[in-house]
Amino acid sequence: MTRTLRPHPGLDIPLVDTGRGDRTVLVLHGGAGPRGVEPIVEHFAPHARVLAPTHPGWAGTPRPDWFSGVDDLAVTYLDLLDDEDAGDVLVVASSFGGWVASEMAVRDRGRRIGRLVVLDGIGPEVEGHGVSLPQPPPGAPGPDPADLAALRVYGGPRIADPKLLRRLARVRIPALLVWGADDVVVPPEFGKAYAAAFADARFEVVAGAGHVPHVQAPAETFALIDEFAGRA
């Protein structure tokens, strides 16, 4: 089921709300848009309630000019968890969604989030490792230009937050960072530094996968996520 969130006048956010279960899973997409995380939604829906919003500006959705920062997304999705009275939430986030999820974890004063999974996330500024947006081969379909434009608005000119890495030390919930060994957008060395910034994080590399391991190596990736999510 898809419904529309309206956290403010003029701001409509499509939200997939599907599945049943005692646990809530929040799924946050990356630059590829909501289609890029459909495998994650489908994986969890049989045994959990899954919430998967579309960030304003993606998939043809409007983005008000004033809604322009990662902090806007993070606060809006924390408000969603508050409004749903969801606790011990598992957040699973891909690429740019990992940035939003990390910012949510930093700001989660209501302690709604129980565990965090970041799949090849961007967000922090790591010395020597900038974000390299994918360049499809000539003639091959590439990312939607409007989606890339939205990413640049939220991410700024460097597509990174130089303050985020230091702030992550205050995040006390368990985190799992999964990286494709062949990621050319943000390499595993970036992921190691990202994971090391958390107080309680595991870092795992998936062989044979690039920037979207849940698509390129789903069996290995979901095995890691399920083991982590099920830990006491």
Side-chain angles (χ1 to χ4, degrees):
M1 180 183 76
T2 300
R3 58 188 174 94
T4 300
L5 299 177
R6 189 164 293 157
H8 303 283
L11 178 63
D12 289 351
I13 301 177
L15 175 72
V16 171
D17 184 348
T18 189
R20 292 184 177 182
D22 295 333
R23 186 165 212 179
T24 299
V25 179
L26 176 68
V27 178
L28 300 179
H29 70 76
R35 287 185 299 177
V37 292
E38 284 178 355
I40 303 174
V41 174
E42 293 170 358
H43 178 77
F44 283 104
H47 52 83
R49 184 189 183 192
V50 182
L51 303 174
T54 297
H55 312 319
W58 265 268
T61 59
R63 181 193 57 79
D65 289 342
W66 54 266
F67 197 86
S68 58
V70 173
D71 57 341
D72 292 316
L73 291 165
V75 170
T76 297
Y77 298 151
L78 285 172
D79 287 345
L80 166 63
L81 299 183
D82 281 343
D83 292 344
E84 298 295 329
D85 195 24
D88 192 28
V89 176
L90 173 65
V91 180
V92 183
S94 172
S95 187
F96 173 72
W99 185 352
V100 179
S102 295
E103 186 66 35
M104 290 179 66
V106 169
R107 294 170 175 263
D108 186 20
R109 301 297 183 260
R111 304 194 184 281
R112 295 290 181 178
I113 302 172
R115 290 179 182 271
L116 173 64
V117 177
V118 174
L119 304 169
D120 293 74
I122 65 172
E125 190 170 88
V126 177
E127 186 175 356
H129 296 290
V131 175
S132 300
L133 294 180
Q135 300 295 326
D144 188 312
D147 292 351
L148 287 180
L151 175 61
R152 292 188 181 279
V153 169
Y154 288 115
R158 291 185 290 187
I159 317 181
D161 180 353
K163 300 179 181 180
L164 179 59
L165 209 63
R166 291 188 294 273
R167 291 173 175 164
L168 293 176
R170 292 194 58 84
V171 176
R172 305 301 182 191
I173 60 171
L176 171 67
L177 281 78
V178 179
W179 236 259
D182 302 323
D183 190 348
V184 296
V185 177
V186 276
E189 290 77 11
F190 179 100
K192 289 179 184 177
Y194 203 159
F198 287 91
D200 179 11
R202 284 173 51 192
F203 178 71
E204 300 283 354
V205 175
V206 177
H211 192 59
V212 281
H214 56 285
V215 174
Q216 296 154 336
E220 297 86 344
T221 301
F222 285 120
L224 288 169
I225 294 173
D226 290 344
E227 187 275 332
F228 171 76
R231 283 193 301 166

